[in-house]
Amino acid sequence: MVDVDEEFHALRSEPDPVRRGRRATDLLATYQQRSVELARVRRAAIEEARDQLGGSYTEVARAFGLTKGRITQIRSTAPPAHRAFFGVGPLDIALPGRRLLDREDVVIATEDDATGVHLTEETERLAFTVDRRIIDPQQEWEPAHDAVVVCGPASAHVGNMLMQRDPLLTMSLGDGARWGIVARETGERFLSPLDDEEPRRADVAYLARHAMPSGAVVVHIAGVHALGSIGAAHYLTEHVADLWAEFGDGSFSMVVSGEFDGLTPTALKVLTSPRRWP
């Protein structure tokens, strides 16, 4: 808190109006996200206290020094406990850019764009301030704070860096130059049906949650093809409450598969159950 106060007072005395304005914008986003997190923490505390106090919200209100009506309002308006799965925020949604020989700018695949749209919509529902980023494959970008990174190890440095942290799963090339997700302990490989001799509209994807040493949270999604990332994103947002209930603030990884109609998942399946990292 001392550091926050020092930064606040330093900002007010910053003589350069451009630096003062830009930093004020950044701090507003940070403070707003912390306020949302405090609301989430208070709502979770209310539910926990209710269990300790015999299931009575009247007793909770008395213990918290609030009216029962205010307790009801908090429970109906504050974010759910599983918001913390993604950290505190602000949140980066980072998608892999691709460089084409005839273009100077970085482009993004349609599938990755669809993944980004879905993740942005769903995390904004959890009251996150979201900044969408395109990862330049020629740069060694790494998340500076909470983020969802959609990127395989061959697409950019950050994808490889994150996957190297996983003690259970990885991605590699195998026979026939086919990429697959590999269980480190058993060598079992999960391949994409898109690469079969008779391909079908299906793919597999890696999904992990990193509790970083810095305290930030980085969720990592990597489809064998970009289509698989859509499936992993949908699986995540449909099951985030269950994943938070099981793993809390821990790190884990898993493999999911999806069947698709165009870019829309029609069936999602868990290929390896989520496992907590040792």
Side-chain angles (χ1 to χ4, degrees), residues 53-117:
L53 297 173
S56 169
Y57 286 114
T58 300
E59 293 300 322
V60 172
R62 184 177 294 110
F64 278 46
L66 301 171
T67 66
K68 188 175 180 181
R70 181 64 178 133
I71 292 292
T72 300
Q73 183 184 41
I74 292 169
R75 292 179 58 235
S76 63
T77 60
H82 63 261
R83 179 186 188 273
F85 181 93
F86 296 100
V88 175
L91 188 67
D92 283 343
I93 304 293
L95 306 166
R98 305 169 195 272
R99 288 194 171 271
L100 304 180
L101 294 178
D102 59 343
R103 297 187 59 165
E104 295 184 1
D105 56 337
V106 176
V107 300
I108 182 172
T110 301
E111 296 90 343
D112 290 325
D113 181 64
T115 300
V117 168

Side-chain angles (χ1 to χ4, degrees), residues 61-222:
R62 184 177 294 110
F64 278 46
L66 301 171
T67 66
K68 188 175 180 181
R70 181 64 178 133
I71 292 292
T72 300
Q73 183 184 41
I74 292 169
R75 292 179 58 235
S76 63
T77 60
H82 63 261
R83 179 186 188 273
F85 181 93
F86 296 100
V88 175
L91 188 67
D92 283 343
I93 304 293
L95 306 166
R98 305 169 195 272
R99 288 194 171 271
L100 304 180
L101 294 178
D102 59 343
R103 297 187 59 165
E104 295 184 1
D105 56 337
V106 176
V107 300
I108 182 172
T110 301
E111 296 90 343
D112 290 325
D113 181 64
T115 300
V117 168
H118 178 75
L119 289 169
T120 298
E121 290 176 348
E122 294 301 314
T123 51
E124 285 181 342
R125 294 182 201 278
L126 293 173
F128 279 101
T129 297
V130 177
D131 186 12
R132 174 165 155 154
R133 297 181 177 271
I134 306 303
I135 304 167
D136 188 329
Q138 296 180 358
Q139 297 180 358
E140 293 192 356
W141 175 85
E142 295 183 10
H145 47 76
D146 298 329
V148 181
V149 176
V150 182
C151 181
S155 298
H157 157 79
V158 65
N160 183 62
M161 181 273 293
L162 289 172
M163 194 149 286
Q164 290 302 316
R165 299 186 74 251
D166 188 336
L168 304 177
L169 297 168
T170 188
M171 294 182 73
S172 67
L173 279 171
D175 296 339
R178 291 181 63 172
W179 278 94
I181 304 169
V182 183
R184 295 184 188 272
E185 295 176 351
T186 65
E188 184 179 8
R189 297 180 64 85
F190 302 93
L191 303 176
S192 172
L194 286 172
D195 297 323
D196 292 345
E197 290 186 5
E198 297 183 4
R200 56 191 175 88
R201 194 72 176 164
D203 200 9
V204 298
Y206 168 90
L207 171 60
R209 182 186 190 273
H210 298 250
M212 305 296 281
S214 65
V217 173
V218 178
V219 176
H220 185 198
I221 291 173

